[in-house]
Amino acid sequence: MLLRHTSADVMERSALTINPAKTCQPIGAMYAALGVHNCLPHSHGSQGCCSYHRSTLTRHYKEPVMAATSSFTEGAAVFGGQANLLAAISNIFALYNPDVIAIHTTCLSETIGDDMVQVIAKAKSEGKVPEGKHVIHANTPSYVGSHVTGFANMTKALVKYFAETSGHRNRQVNILPGWVEPSDMRELRRLARVMGVHVNMYPDTSDVLDAPHTGEHEFFPRGGSTVAEIRHSGDAMSTLALGPFASEPAARALEEKCEVPAEVLDLPIGLLATDRFIDGLRHRAGVRVPAPITDDRGRLVDLISDMHQYFYRKRVALFGDPDQLAPLAEFLVTMDMRPVYIVTGTPGKRFETRIRDLVADAVPEVQVRQGAQADMFLLHQWIKREGVDLLIGNSYGKYIARDENIPFVRFGFPILDRVGHSYFPNVGYAGAMRLAEKILNAFMDRQDREAKEEAFELTM
Amino acid sequence: MHILEERQRQVHRKGSEPFDLDCNKQSAAGSVSQRACVFCGSRVVLYPIADALHLVHGPIGCASYTWDIRGALSSGPQLHRNSFCTDLKELDVIQGGEKKLHKALTQLIVEHQPKAAFVYSTCIVGVIGDDVEAVCRQISAEQGIPVLPVHSEGFKGTKRDGYRAACEALLKLVGTGDPSGVSKASINILGDFNLAGEVWMIRKYYERMGLEVTATITGDGRVDDIRRAHGAALNLVQCSGSMMHLAKVMKDRYGIPFRKVSYFGIEDMSQALYDTAAHFAGVVPGIQERTVELVRGELQYILPEIAEYRKRLAGKKAAIYVGGAFKAFSLVRALRHLGMDTVMVGSQTGLKEDYEELRELCDEGAIIVDDSNPLELSSFLSERQVDLFIGGVKERPIAYKLGIGFCDHNHERKLALAGFEGMLNFAREVYGTVASPVWRLTPRGSAREAAPCR
């Protein structure tokens, strides 16, 4: 029992987080910046931050992850990090020659009060930023919000620094995909293409963090949204922002800056949320839903109907990020399952409201917690009080799954012990089929493993 | 390839120039350094102590990224595999985090009854001015266990400084226990972290020689053992970068001699046991004979299979980039045993004398590099037509992208690589990756197949 120290008695904790269901802002900012073409993320803080983020992203994607750091010293912590950052900007353009340096701050540089706007202006006035190159920033103090907040802040920074209006509206729909996998971003583009909708999507980590083997180590892989694309998003006729936590701030900023009307949707995970996404595209672009999409949906319904007896009434615990959890919980209800415990470390009361909107009718007993102390220790305590049939979440769920012998489906960030998430999407109807398949496999593998000889069945 | 001017003296090619490698300095701002921070150093060194509480005082990130990060195994308690954090918020940054720290510590100690507690300071704790020392003292008095502040603010240096901060914390434990009953023939194992159960293997060798192991610091470590570690007769220090400070102070304070050892590779492993046996020759009758016997038995078991790999690996080229330089010495020797040449070797935090020794060890033309980065590394790998790269998490995908075999000699090793059995595992792993058919599917592999010889 690796978590033998977890007791069933839930105690009040106000000063302590145990086994967090979140991490800090900068890694989200780094991930978002990797979705910009020829962009080098830059961590303005100690070396360790950058190293941890690169290691975690590398473990999750099995890809090289490039990012630079200001390498704070004791002197920088006392006198401010301006000198380090100015030197860093010069060195980065000299050595790596990116189109964009995307700076995110850290708890250290925020606490000592470094002013990014002023430092970037100084770098420009001193000629450290070559013609046609860009230095942008997002404030991402680690003591506010979570990794999701960091992603949202960097995406918003892309709008603030780059989006422009030329005065001519084009026929494009912007998609802000939220914090999803490269595979998901690729699938969102595919769905739009099949629908016949011209989309402008950013950030986009496909072909960056799922790059094919070419025999080269591409310091800047070929993927990522270009600065020109982000600039033109100011001319689009509308924006679909997927995931309120990760994408709404950028969508609102774009609305304000360039008057591009925005609609905020759940991530298209599961049948109903994908319906809303498809419907959103249809409405915004004024197109009809083509047969291949309707067929995809039909196949999903077919799969669920074929196997619905196995989903019926199963109790599920889930943890992870709010934008994923809301549509996932809804999808479980669609399949007649019961998401009973839902936990995210990302703060925001509207998460709980959204979950209750989506599932409380079907699952009135649902327990939801978000923010500080909404951690995996609490989730485990709930499970110990009354068990579940399935656990869904990132790799850190494996301790609970093992101790309590619960079937476990890996979903979310980070996944450190399996592959597939960067290649096979979870969004859209096809993604929902994959999720349903994984859930079924988890149940059935367990049944096959644990069934008594006389109860062992060939056909299921 | 362009190397920053301020970094040019951190790269040396053996034979091409007089040796004057620059090292042990801050990374250039803006470089994609592979280095980590002070906190990282302290955390990896201390967290294997399994019956202690490890509390990270700071915002959540530092606790998340180091949650059970290293695979340090415990034969008993598993408290160290949880992640405890004060999870500081904006208000705490303004008002200070001392109250929160006090509350968190009290709650955890009451709930889990650990033998000791380590409190890790992260960057902002050093800036907002929390008196962690005072809180620890107070809790220690209230709860009756040692509560040890670890001064590991990330910006206060490199990982190496984190090792030192960890040693300082350990030094507050050592000497507080009762050493009576500790045998005259006893040792402490320093600097092995029990990745993949390595400390269990090493411990068994020493026990078979007739020695008693007082404390393993810190792999599969226990607080009470560390408290009476000053009763042991000899400290055996592996990974000297992390634990040398502890050994030196224990020598000054308690008169315990130490020896540097390495458990990687046949030569180094055998040497470690022979040296230790020689040290105890007058104290433990028959220890040298037993050691010779032990080594012979182990070698008999592993050598035939290793010889097979050696035949197939002869002449292949290897590159090494690791955290501490000390590990690199053993790796160069172990690779030589497999018939392989090391053509590039570097470390994140090596010292001048380390690089000097590496230069001695390597053949003409070898590249020696301090605090390198992905751009340099991939260009060295390509330039020297390497068949195998040995490194850590961030280096692995670079090797694979180039179509080169890789072996993780850091947190992510899954098989024990230390000891005699570990050498066999190492040989299998190296052969498995160098000879993998997947490389034939890559551009580099096809180019090699097209060329009749190289």
Side-chain angles (χ1 to χ4, degrees):
Chain A
M1 299 286 274
L2 286 168
L3 302 181
R4 68 185 71 146
H5 305 278
T6 307
S7 63
D9 299 327
V10 178
M11 54 179 180
E12 188 278 327
R13 278 183 287 135
S14 61
L16 175 64
T17 295
I18 309 176
N19 302 344
K22 65 171 172 180
T23 182
C24 64
Q25 282 208 54
I27 195 171
M30 187 182 284
Y31 180 60
L34 288 166
V36 177
H37 184 64
N38 269 351
C39 172
L40 189 68
H42 181 86
S43 166
H44 186 51
S46 299
Q47 267 184 334
C49 308
C50 189
S51 174
Y52 281 139
H53 305 148
R54 288 177 58 211
S55 290
T56 305
L57 290 166
T58 297
R59 287 185 166 116
H60 180 85
Y61 289 109
K62 320 287 180 208
E63 290 288 307
V65 172
M66 295 304 132
T69 163
S70 293
S71 304
F72 266 51
T73 56
E74 202 135 22
V78 176
F79 302 112
Q82 173 172 300
N84 286 48
L85 188 50
L86 289 173
I89 290 171
S90 297
N91 283 340
I92 289 171
F93 282 124
L95 199 55
Y96 305 114
N97 194 29
D99 291 344
V100 184
I101 299 175
I103 303 166
H104 59 263
T105 57
T106 57
C107 48
L108 178 59
S109 54
E110 286 287 336
T111 306
I112 62 179
D114 281 350
D115 181 349
M116 291 301 103
V117 174
Q118 182 257 324
V119 179
I120 292 171
K122 193 169 164 66
K124 278 188 183 155
S125 71
E126 288 177 2
K128 290 185 159 62
V129 184
E131 191 64 34
K133 305 282 183 176
H134 309 274
V135 180
I136 68 170
H137 89 283
N139 292 97
T140 52
S142 318
Y143 44 76
V144 176
S146 76
H147 57 296
V148 182
T149 324
F151 182 95
N153 284 340
M154 183 52 80
T155 309
K156 185 177 165 185
L158 296 177
V159 171
K160 286 201 321 203
Y161 273 94
F162 294 134
E164 280 175 14
T165 324
S166 67
H168 301 286
R169 285 271 165 246
N170 59 33
R171 299 283 302 156
Q172 285 192 328
V173 176
N174 297 322
I175 293 183
L176 303 177
W179 187 328
V180 290
E181 299 293 343
S183 51
D184 295 321
M185 297 184 183
R186 198 183 293 283
E187 176 67 1
L188 292 172
R189 281 196 193 278
R190 188 191 72 85
L191 287 170
R193 203 164 47 240
V194 176
M195 294 274 291
V197 181
H198 294 287
V199 297
N200 185 353
M201 185 169 89
Y202 60 89
D204 182 357
T205 56
S206 62
D207 284 325
V208 177
L209 291 168
D210 61 353
H213 185 99
T214 59
E216 305 280 331
H217 167 219
E218 320 264 359
F219 197 86
F220 298 110
R222 68 173 180 227
S225 319
T226 62
V227 170
E229 285 169 338
I230 303 170
R231 186 176 293 137
H232 290 144
S233 69
D235 286 334
M237 55 185 180
S238 60
T239 301
L240 289 180
L242 307 182
F245 280 79
S247 299
E248 182 162 5
R252 296 296 170 223
L254 190 58
E255 212 166 34
E256 201 172 300
K257 188 176 179 189
C258 303
E259 293 174 0
V260 182
E263 185 176 357
V264 181
L265 296 173
D266 288 310
L267 286 175
I269 292 168
L271 189 137
L272 296 173
T274 303
D275 282 353
R276 292 194 291 275
F277 171 67
I278 297 293
D279 213 41
L281 274 181
R282 183 178 66 84
H283 262 289
R284 296 285 152 186
V287 294
R288 303 177 76 123
V289 179
I293 301 274
T294 322
D295 289 350
D296 270 355
R297 185 181 194 278
R299 271 186 284 274
L300 172 59
V301 174
D302 200 67
L303 175 104
I304 299 172
S305 66
D306 286 345
M307 306 307 273
H308 71 276
Q309 57 171 321
Y310 293 99
F311 295 123
Y312 170 62
R313 286 193 69 78
K314 289 282 195 283
R315 288 166 54 83
V316 191
L318 33 157
F319 64 93
D321 301 337
D323 290 342
Q324 273 80 359
L325 292 175
L328 177 63
E330 181 189 40
F331 183 45
L332 295 174
V333 170
T334 304
M335 295 193 293
D336 210 10
M337 299 169 78
R338 309 182 71 78
V340 286
Y341 307 137
I342 306 176
V343 164
T344 181
T346 299
K349 190 75 183 163
R350 63 182 169 159
F351 170 68
E352 190 172 339
T353 313
R354 182 68 183 147
I355 292 281
R356 292 202 185 279
D357 284 350
L358 290 172
V359 309
D361 279 349
V363 191
E365 73 271 30
V366 61
Q367 281 183 266
V368 190
R369 277 285 280 277
Q370 74 284 317
Q373 286 87 48
D375 50 30
M376 299 190 50
F377 186 77
L378 175 72
L379 182 70
H380 193 182
Q381 289 185 309
W382 285 350
I383 291 172
K384 277 187 179 293
R385 293 176 81 85
E386 191 179 353
V388 291
D389 303 298
L390 178 69
L391 178 66
I392 303 180
N394 63 40
S395 288
Y396 288 105
K398 73 193 287 181
Y399 300 97
I400 298 176
R402 180 187 161 96
D403 275 13
E404 307 298 333
N405 190 22
I406 309 169
F408 176 39
V409 170
R410 283 165 181 79
F411 173 90
F413 176 86
I415 293 174
L416 310 169
D417 57 344
R418 294 291 188 276
V419 292
H421 45 277
S422 45
Y423 304 116
F424 307 109
N426 280 323
V427 300
Y429 300 119
M433 289 179 77
R434 177 170 180 251
L435 271 173
E437 180 202 9
K438 281 185 147 189
I439 291 170
L440 277 170
N441 287 351
F443 289 146
M444 290 173 171
D445 285 346
R446 181 192 192 165
Q447 193 176 323
D448 281 345
R449 197 170 56 241
E450 297 182 358
K452 293 205 172 82
E453 282 189 1
E454 60 273 24
F456 189 69
E457 285 184 282
L458 173 66
T459 310
M460 297 203 272
Chain B
M1 184 203 39
H2 185 70
I3 297 178
L4 274 183
E5 202 182 311
E6 55 191 297
R7 270 198 49 71
Q8 284 185 355
R9 283 187 49 230
Q10 285 173 276
V11 182
H12 172 81
R13 284 160 197 268
K14 182 171 173 179
S16 64
E17 55 210 297
F19 184 70
D20 182 25
L21 194 80
D22 218 1
C23 59
N24 201 21
K25 63 180 213 177
Q26 277 293 325
S27 303
S31 62
V32 181
S33 169
Q34 307 294 78
R35 278 181 177 173
C37 65
V38 182
F39 168 76
C40 182
S42 296
R43 182 89 164 113
V44 294
V45 163
L46 291 175
Y47 111 101
I49 303 171
D51 57 352
L53 174 76
H54 301 271
L55 176 65
V56 177
H57 185 38
I60 199 67
C62 299
S64 290
Y65 305 120
T66 55
W67 177 4
D68 204 11
I69 190 180
R70 203 178 192 185
L73 306 184
S74 161
S75 55
Q78 303 289 348
L79 192 60
H80 70 301
R81 301 186 77 160
N82 289 282
S83 169
F84 301 109
C85 183
T86 49
D87 195 357
L88 294 183
K89 297 292 188 318
E90 199 156 18
L91 209 59
D92 305 316
V93 174
I94 298 162
Q95 298 178 343
E98 289 175 22
K99 278 192 190 138
K100 215 170 175 181
L101 177 59
H102 186 281
K103 200 168 170 185
L105 271 173
T106 307
Q107 199 163 17
L108 283 168
I109 293 170
V110 169
E111 175 79 15
H112 300 296
Q113 302 289 315
K115 298 275 186 174
F118 292 96
V119 179
Y120 302 82
S121 291
T122 61
C123 283
I124 62 166
V125 171
V127 178
I128 63 178
D130 278 3
D131 192 345
V132 175
E133 195 103 35
V135 177
C136 288
R137 242 190 338 264
Q138 192 188 346
I139 297 272
S140 189
E142 287 166 7
Q143 302 293 335
I145 62 162
V147 180
L148 308 160
V150 186
H151 298 288
S152 51
E153 291 89 345
F155 59 85
K156 286 189 172 167
T158 63
K159 213 165 163 181
R160 175 180 290 279
D161 300 287
Y163 298 150
R164 195 184 169 93
C167 288
E168 286 297 330
L170 286 170
L171 281 164
K172 291 189 186 143
L173 268 188
V174 174
T176 60
D178 177 9
S180 57
V182 173
S183 153
K184 279 199 170 58
S186 84
I187 54 165
N188 297 315
I189 299 177
L190 269 57
D192 192 293
F193 304 101
N194 205 29
L195 311 187
E198 288 175 342
V199 102
W200 296 330
M201 220 147 89
I202 303 303
R203 184 184 186 119
K204 229 172 256 164
Y205 296 148
Y206 287 125
E207 287 172 353
R208 280 165 63 191
M209 288 160 59
L211 296 172
E212 188 181 294
V213 177
T214 306
T216 55
I217 306 175
T218 58
D220 199 16
R222 296 294 181 276
V223 171
D224 287 344
D225 296 342
I226 297 169
R227 296 180 76 158
R228 61 205 283 270
H230 59 301
L234 177 66
N235 278 332
L236 294 168
V237 197
Q238 202 200 205
C239 186
S240 60
S242 68
M243 285 287 160
M244 211 49 199
H245 180 60
L246 181 69
K248 279 182 179 159
V249 176
M250 282 178 78
K251 181 164 188 260
D252 292 346
R253 216 176 266 178
Y254 308 105
I256 304 173
F258 63 83
R259 273 178 193 279
K260 280 195 197 184
V261 293
S262 165
Y263 304 126
F264 293 114
I266 290 172
E267 283 109 324
D268 289 10
M269 181 68 239
S270 312
Q271 199 60 48
L273 299 185
Y274 289 142
D275 285 356
T276 309
H279 182 90
F280 285 101
V283 188
V284 184
I287 187 168
Q288 287 179 297
E289 294 74 14
R290 272 200 299 281
T291 305
V292 170
E293 201 46 47
L294 186 158
V295 171
R296 184 183 302 142
E298 294 288 331
L299 290 183
Q300 257 170 14
Y301 170 67
I302 63 167
L303 281 183
E305 192 177 331
I306 288 180
E308 281 305 306
Y309 297 122
R310 189 187 156 91
K311 264 187 236 159
R312 297 181 227 176
L313 288 169
K316 302 273 185 201
K317 289 185 268 182
I320 300 169
Y321 189 74
V322 286
F326 195 70
K327 192 190 282 176
F329 307 153
S330 299
L331 285 170
V332 173
R333 282 192 282 265
L335 287 166
R336 188 165 289 157
H337 195 94
L338 295 177
M340 298 179 70
D341 301 324
T342 302
V343 295
M344 187 221 101
V345 57
S347 83
Q348 293 170 21
T349 57
L351 297 175
K352 194 136 199 156
E353 56 268 29
D354 299 331
Y355 290 117
E356 191 76 60
E357 193 170 334
L358 277 175
R359 197 184 69 100
E360 294 291 312
L361 216 52
C362 290
D363 294 332
E364 276 310 279
I367 299 169
I368 296 168
V369 59
D370 176 63
D371 186 21
S372 196
N373 57 62
L375 210 55
E376 287 175 13
L377 290 173
S378 51
S379 98
F380 296 147
L381 296 178
S382 303
E383 177 198 317
R384 302 307 315 270
Q385 289 287 307
V386 159
D387 303 284
L388 171 75
F389 189 23
I390 297 182
V393 183
K394 296 190 293 284
E395 288 82 32
R396 181 195 294 268
I398 296 173
Y400 290 165
K401 284 290 178 202
L402 295 170
I404 294 171
F406 184 83
C407 169
D408 191 300
H409 215 279
N410 199 7
H411 299 350
E412 288 185 8
R413 81 180 66 144
K414 298 302 169 211
L415 292 171
L417 299 178
F420 298 103
E421 205 181 312
M423 182 61 194
L424 183 55
N425 287 337
F426 180 66
R428 285 175 180 158
E429 199 171 318
V430 166
Y431 177 72
T433 187
V434 168
S436 169
V438 70
W439 309 131
R440 281 187 237 137
L441 308 173
T442 66
R444 180 173 161 271
S446 332
R448 289 199 158 193
E449 297 220 329
C453 57
R454 62 183 174 89

